[in-house]
Amino acid sequence: MYLMLGTGDVGLEVAERLRKLGKEVAFAVTDSRQADLLSGRGFKVELWDPSSPFPVQLLQQAEALVLVSQDLAEAERMLEEVRGLRKGSLPPLLALVPDELFELDFRTGGAEVVLPLSQLVSERLLAALEDLEGVRRERELRELLLSRRGGRMLVVTQINPDPDALASAAALKRYARAFGVEADVACAGEVGGYPQNRVMRNLLELELLDLKAVDFERYALYALVDVSTRSNSALPERIFPTVVIDHHSVPASEVQGKFKDLRITGAASTLLAKYLWFGGVEMDPPLAAALAVGIVTDTLHFTRGVTPMDFEVFQRLLQKADLDLLRSLQSSLFSKEAFDLLARSLRRAKLVGGCYTANLGEVEDPDSVPQIADFLLLREGVSHALVYGLHEGMVRISARTKDKSLHLGQILRELFPGFAGGHPGMAAGSVPLRQLTRVSPQNPSFRASLDRAVARRFLAKLGLVSGRRRGK
């Protein structure tokens, strides 16, 4: 049971939210009118006369105390009264105070946690202003689409799209349709770089076009989603983007577009979910699940680049998402082969100057490559990870880094032009084996030859080894 000491607007709101979560809530108040009001709303209430001892049995039943009285004198009197009664295993106390000036006094008085109301107000105000900005952007995009009603839009993702890119593209397609614009989704590179991608495409019935085969003349609008530059999307130079929505930090000078939304969040799915909500566009359970997975994967389970908006949107998505689908998407994070390859990669991985490199050899499922790169980056002392393996004549490469000064997408593009790209912290490539080595996979020297062509060049680019090769 949560025992609220005193009452007030904030305390009542907290109590109502706790009750919605299935928690038992009781109040101890000094005013009979407050007691009647709370009783009328279905709360258990203890009317306490300050001239009498505080009811100890009520304290013993509580798992936490929350001092919410907005009368400062009453709050101080209540804190002093219960301080002498809270001994041993009696519950901890959180105190809400008017502002930071009273924080030290209440901590000294025995409150384990003190939260200034001014801080709550400022945080809520900032969140409200953030939403106001989102509403403004949504209206601007809606007006743009309505002005092109009946036209067709091409939505382009990053090269080698991840689950966040696919979910965001599907959401933008749904949003555009609501305002009279049909859309197709296209990308360059490999789509199967993540195990969730195949499941997501099927359940969202998302058809992906090969950007190289697209007839651009069919479209009146072009959108970049989860990417903001041509170099990371393979959008031809002659095409000017109409819409750009991305959550990555990119210099403004590199971004072209009529409508641009470049807010820093953990995932593009966070931004696209807001567009649907602010626009009043229906979001079905599969799309909600896909957007939730987009947030989880791009923030690496809320450990990378996450913002308060990501948490807020994710929690709201869970209320709408198809939870069975969400579980199936989550369970595909590590395939059986990925676990086998992980054990093998840990034996073969080499750590050079904070960079883990792992040659996986032949892989049956190319989705395993980025999974293992994500895992290796989590290891202690690792700043970068490079993982690669051979699949059906193509060398699948995944790179990850924690170094904010690097841009892995640019590095891989320079090392393997035309076959790789990505973002600053994560990038991928799919390079024909013949472009890297003429040594046959059956030859005993094949592994060393591939290591020189991939890992050594990458390490040299990072300045961790000499770029010179030894003689054959």
Side-chain angles (χ1 to χ4, degrees):
M1 179 186 73
Y2 285 81
L3 179 58
M4 318 296 285
L5 304 177
T7 188
D9 294 339
V10 176
L12 190 55
E13 182 181 346
V14 170
E16 291 285 9
R17 292 194 178 194
L18 286 171
R19 189 158 62 175
K20 286 180 181 178
L21 293 172
K23 305 292 186 180
E24 184 184 356
V25 181
F27 280 85
V29 298
T30 60
D31 187 298
S32 60
R33 289 171 301 177
Q34 292 177 344
D36 291 341
L37 176 65
L38 293 167
S39 296
R41 300 185 70 154
F43 289 104
K44 179 181 177 181
V45 183
E46 181 79 24
L47 183 59
W48 172 51
D49 180 356
S51 63
S52 305
F54 193 88
V56 180
Q57 71 278 5
L58 203 57
L59 284 178
Q60 293 172 334
Q61 294 170 18
E63 59 186 87
L65 305 178
V66 186
L67 181 55
V68 294
S69 175
Q70 291 182 299
D71 182 324
L72 186 59
E74 180 186 70
E76 291 175 332
R77 188 167 63 249
M78 282 186 159
L79 180 63
E80 184 178 356
E81 182 69 25
V82 301
R83 180 172 55 183
L85 301 175
R86 293 169 61 239
K87 298 177 182 178
S89 60
L90 284 178
L93 186 146
L94 179 150
L96 296 180
V97 296
D99 56 48
E100 290 87 346
L101 293 173
F102 301 97
E103 189 169 352
L104 181 59
D105 290 341
F106 276 73
R107 285 191 185 279
T108 305
E112 283 82 4
V113 180
V114 180
L115 190 59
L117 286 172
S118 57
Q119 180 179 323
L120 284 178
V121 171
S122 62
E123 287 178 357
R124 292 189 65 174
L125 177 60
L126 288 173
L129 290 173
E130 200 170 58
D131 273 352
L132 199 64
E133 172 68 8
V135 169
R136 183 191 66 78
R137 290 174 184 270
E138 186 278 324
R139 286 180 179 173
E140 185 180 343
L141 179 57
R142 188 195 318 177
E143 290 172 5
L144 173 60
L145 293 176
L146 288 172
S147 71
R148 309 288 184 90
R149 181 186 288 273
R152 197 165 191 89
M153 180 167 69
L154 182 66
V155 180
V156 180
T157 73
Q158 67 200 55
I159 300 170
N160 304 313
D162 55 22
D164 182 36
L166 293 186
S168 299
L172 183 56
K173 180 176 180 177
R174 183 79 52 88
Y175 178 86
R177 176 179 291 172
F179 301 109
V181 175
E182 292 295 328
D184 297 320
V185 180
C187 68
E190 297 293 328
V191 181
Y194 292 78
Q196 302 94 330
N197 283 2
R198 288 173 292 188
V199 180
M200 195 178 288
R201 286 180 62 188
N202 291 336
L203 290 165
L204 294 178
E205 298 180 353
L206 182 63
E207 181 183 358
L208 284 174
L209 306 179
D210 182 349
L211 194 62
K212 295 178 182 177
V214 164
D215 178 6
F216 290 93
E217 302 305 318
R218 293 185 60 217
Y219 301 97
L221 304 92
Y222 306 93
L224 294 179
V225 65
D226 195 29
V227 65
S228 54
T229 61
R230 287 187 173 84
S231 58
N232 283 339
S233 65
L235 189 70
E237 286 292 333
R238 71 179 189 278
I239 302 299
F240 185 83
T242 319
V243 176
V244 180
I245 302 176
D246 190 18
H247 70 107
H248 299 98
S249 178
V250 179
S253 60
E254 295 182 16
V255 182
Q256 294 181 320
K258 182 176 179 63
F259 171 88
K260 295 181 285 188
D261 185 353
L262 304 174
R263 283 177 285 171
I264 305 301
T265 57
S269 292
T270 297
L271 300 177
L272 268 298
K274 290 273 191 174
Y275 275 95
L276 293 172
W277 290 328
F278 290 147
V281 180
E282 177 64 24
M283 181 192 300
D284 58 28
L287 180 56
L291 289 167
V293 169
I295 294 172
V296 170
T297 55
D298 237 43
T299 61
L300 207 58
H301 290 267
F302 301 102
T303 63
R304 178 178 62 196
V306 68
T307 68
M309 192 194 297
D310 297 305
F311 285 116
E312 176 221 328
V313 169
F314 181 76
Q315 289 175 342
R316 187 171 172 184
L317 287 170
L318 288 184
Q319 298 172 18
K320 183 72 175 179
D322 180 331
L323 296 183
D324 289 335
L325 170 57
L326 187 58
R327 279 189 288 269
S328 70
L329 287 167
Q330 285 290 83
S331 66
S332 62
L333 285 173
F334 256 98
S335 62
K336 180 182 181 301
E337 193 207 2
F339 279 112
D340 295 337
L341 283 173
L342 181 58
R344 193 192 314 167
S345 70
L346 290 175
R347 290 194 299 269
R348 294 176 173 173
K350 300 173 183 176
L351 184 61
V352 179
C355 180
Y356 240 132
T357 66
N359 181 346
L360 303 180
E362 291 269 3
V363 296
E364 292 181 12
D365 184 0
D367 295 347
S368 304
V369 178
Q371 295 177 64
I372 292 172
D374 283 335
F375 181 85
L376 291 180
L377 190 65
L378 296 175
R379 303 201 72 190
E380 187 175 356
V382 177
S383 300
H384 327 284
L386 179 75
V387 179
Y388 49 102
L390 180 62
H391 175 74
E392 296 181 352
M394 304 292 287
V395 178
R396 305 302 179 95
I397 304 170
S398 280
R400 303 287 188 267
T401 187
K402 299 174 184 174
D403 189 339
K404 302 294 186 182
S405 68
L406 294 179
H407 195 304
L408 290 182
Q410 292 178 359
I411 290 174
L412 289 198
R413 276 198 305 275
E414 292 170 6
L415 290 174
F416 314 107
F419 300 102
H423 299 299
M426 55 195 301
S430 185
V431 187
L433 178 61
R434 64 181 180 277
Q435 297 280 339
L436 299 173
T437 179
R438 297 293 180 180
V439 179
S440 166
Q442 286 71 43
N443 192 306
S445 63
F446 170 72
R447 174 174 288 276
S449 176
L450 188 60
D451 287 344
R452 287 193 297 271
V454 179
R456 186 172 184 83
R457 291 173 64 193
F458 182 77
L459 292 170
K461 196 74 174 174
L462 297 184
L464 300 177
V465 299
S466 167
R468 295 174 298 175
R469 294 186 182 183
R470 296 178 181 177
K472 294 183 179 178

